Amino acid sequence: MKKLVILGGGYGGVRILDRLLPTQLPEDVSITLIDRVPYHCLKTEFYALAAGTISDQDVRVAFPDHPKLQVIYAEITKIDLEKKKVILADENDVSYDDLIIGLGCEDNYHGVPGAKEFTYSIQSIEKARNTYQTLNNLSPGSTVSIVGAGLSGVELASELVESRPDLKVKLFDRGNYILSAFPVKLSTYVQNWFDNNGVDIVSNSNITRVEDRMLFNHDEPIPSDVIVWTAGIQPNQVVRELNVEKDKQGRVVLTKHHNIPNNEHVYVVGDCASLPHAPSAQLAEGQGEQIVQILMKRWNQEELPETLPLIKLKGILGSLGKKHGFGLLNEKPVTGRVARLLKSGILWMYKYHRG
């Protein structure tokens, strides 16, 4: 019996499970999924969990139930590529014939002193829960500083304004204006929304260090009751420690068939993979689809395709609270209630009809 081991039940790993189960998995192959928690987490919604506008249960989706799927709940400490084993904390090692690494990402603190020790995060469900408890226990009039005005920072700031309008929210951005990677129309729309809802945007910021309840922008101290870090990501530490080729962002360089060079039995999916686009749930799912195709051909001893089609991203959507949103659909800007309704609809379809 061949053993396929999937590390991480994120968007890429779950898409692979959904495509292999219940009917496509060959009779001589079993699957082992290893994750820290007993459910798939909707990471794109962690900002709302942290702000307190949705419940913990809203960001959880059950893993598939199948007799040939074993789920192990454990902390992964190391991947031994030579011995084809996954080393777990407080558990027996797990051997594999084929391995899919989908361990996701962690906060990147960019070497800023004190950032790791004195800021909160929304990069995992555990950290998002902790951030929620801290934010919602604040006294009225408290100041929340959010470092990083990318999609996560913008969504967290807007959701927090609706959840706790009594708080003072500051959003720090390195650029001249927020969401600089988006068309100016979208950036202006989001900027105006924040202006109208009392969010203080600090442009051209440079966070030089962080202390307990104190943020330093260009070395100028800014008192903050809570500081949330959304200023960049990096691959999971287990992946960072792998002795394989990586790009400048620390993501694993892959062949055109999504496996690591010179090892056709180890694949990397999602945030840890070096791909042409920025990491996203949509990209991880598209990559997962292609990995299933490659696995099936290899298991059936069929010739692999010379090339794989480029993974096409349909767009990106962000929310501004529960009634407004923004995004790009087929490179066309969309704003307002329509954008928010589209995002809600896509989330509903994913939760209840993703198979």
Side-chain angles (χ1 to χ4, degrees):
M1 180 74 72
K2 295 178 183 176
K3 192 172 184 180
L4 170 64
V5 175
I6 302 175
L7 306 184
Y11 290 96
V14 166
R15 178 53 60 95
I16 291 168
L17 288 176
D18 286 341
R19 291 299 176 259
L20 288 174
L21 302 174
T23 59
Q24 283 207 74
L25 189 68
E27 287 295 324
D28 63 341
V29 178
S30 67
I31 303 178
T32 298
L33 171 66
I34 305 175
D35 201 297
R36 288 180 296 188
V37 295
Y39 35 74
H40 168 47
C41 298
L42 304 180
K43 189 174 182 179
T44 59
E45 304 306 302
F46 283 175
Y47 71 92
L49 174 62
T53 54
I54 63 175
S55 71
D56 192 284
Q57 190 173 4
D58 292 327
V59 299
R60 304 196 314 244
V61 178
F63 291 132
D65 184 16
H66 192 274
K68 294 181 73 175
L69 171 63
Q70 178 190 14
V71 183
I72 298 175
Y73 309 118
E75 185 78 27
I76 300 164
T77 61
K78 182 181 178 181
I79 301 169
D80 191 327
L81 297 177
E82 291 186 2
K83 295 181 179 179
K84 300 182 74 171
K85 286 185 177 182
V86 179
I87 314 303
L88 306 178
D90 304 321
E91 296 281 347
N92 294 328
D93 299 347
V94 176
S95 60
Y96 64 84
D97 295 296
D98 291 293
L99 180 69
I100 298 173
I101 303 171
L103 292 174
C105 61
E106 302 172 355
D107 289 296
N108 187 344
Y109 298 102
H110 307 288
V112 175
K116 183 176 182 180
E117 294 80 9
F118 298 112
T119 67
Y120 289 82
S121 170
I122 58 172
Q123 280 302 322
S124 69
I125 191 167
E126 299 96 329
K127 291 180 178 179
R129 287 168 178 155
N130 189 34
T131 301
Y132 157 73
Q133 291 179 342
T134 302
L135 289 175
N136 285 276
N137 283 332
L138 287 173
S139 301
S142 297
T143 297
V144 177
S145 293
I146 300 173
V147 181
L151 186 61
S152 295
V154 164
E155 290 190 306
L156 175 61
S158 63
E159 206 78 8
L160 191 58
V161 166
E162 291 200 350
S163 174
R164 293 289 308 271
D166 56 293
L167 299 177
K168 300 174 183 177
V169 179
K170 294 179 178 291
L171 184 59
F172 291 82
D173 184 37
R174 290 181 64 92
N176 294 325
Y177 54 91
I178 61 174
L179 297 173
S180 57
F182 286 77
V184 174
K185 177 182 178 180
L186 291 184
S187 299
T188 303
Y189 176 82
V190 175
Q191 175 83 47
N192 290 338
W193 191 93
F194 280 137
D195 289 343
N196 293 332
N197 286 273
V199 175
D200 182 13
I201 297 177
V202 184
S203 301
N204 298 303
S205 65
N206 180 26
I207 307 306
T208 51
R209 74 180 191 272
V210 183
E211 295 179 359
D212 183 26
R213 292 186 292 179
M214 189 70 71
L215 188 68
F216 290 81
N217 182 30
H218 295 282
D219 290 327
E220 292 294 326
I222 299 174
S224 306
D225 296 284
V226 172
I227 304 165
V228 184
W229 193 270
T230 63
I233 58 174
Q234 61 182 336
N236 180 281
Q237 183 175 348
V238 173
V239 174
R240 298 203 305 271
E241 293 174 353
L242 275 180
N243 185 24
V244 296
E245 183 182 359
K246 303 185 181 78
D247 63 16
K248 292 181 180 179
Q249 287 74 40
R251 301 185 178 103
V252 178
V253 173
L254 302 173
T255 71
K256 60 187 177 183
H257 296 125
H258 301 294
N259 57 278
I260 64 176
N262 303 315
N263 191 333
E264 66 179 33
H265 297 290
V266 179
Y267 304 79
V268 182
V269 63
D271 297 346
C272 297
S274 180
L275 298 171
H277 302 285
S280 69
Q282 191 179 163
L283 182 61
E285 289 175 339
Q287 194 189 5
E289 297 271 3
Q290 294 189 350
I291 289 175
V292 169
Q293 297 174 25
I294 297 301
L295 281 171
M296 294 299 295
K297 287 189 176 297
R298 282 180 166 150
W299 288 335
N300 294 326
Q301 298 183 342
E302 297 175 2
E303 186 176 349
L304 299 184
E306 281 296 320
T307 59
L308 290 170
L310 291 176
I311 299 173
K312 295 182 180 180
L313 304 181
K314 297 178 181 179
I316 185 169
L317 292 167
S319 68
L320 293 171
K322 291 292 183 256
K323 295 183 179 180
H324 298 86
F326 62 96
L328 287 173
L329 291 178
N330 296 321
E331 300 184 356
K332 294 182 179 180
V334 56
T335 59
R337 292 180 181 272
V338 172
R340 190 64 180 90
L341 286 171
L342 284 170
K343 181 177 180 182
S344 297
I346 291 170
L347 177 63
W348 185 88
M349 287 292 292
Y350 180 86
K351 287 181 69 174
Y352 300 107
H353 296 281
R354 75 175 190 276

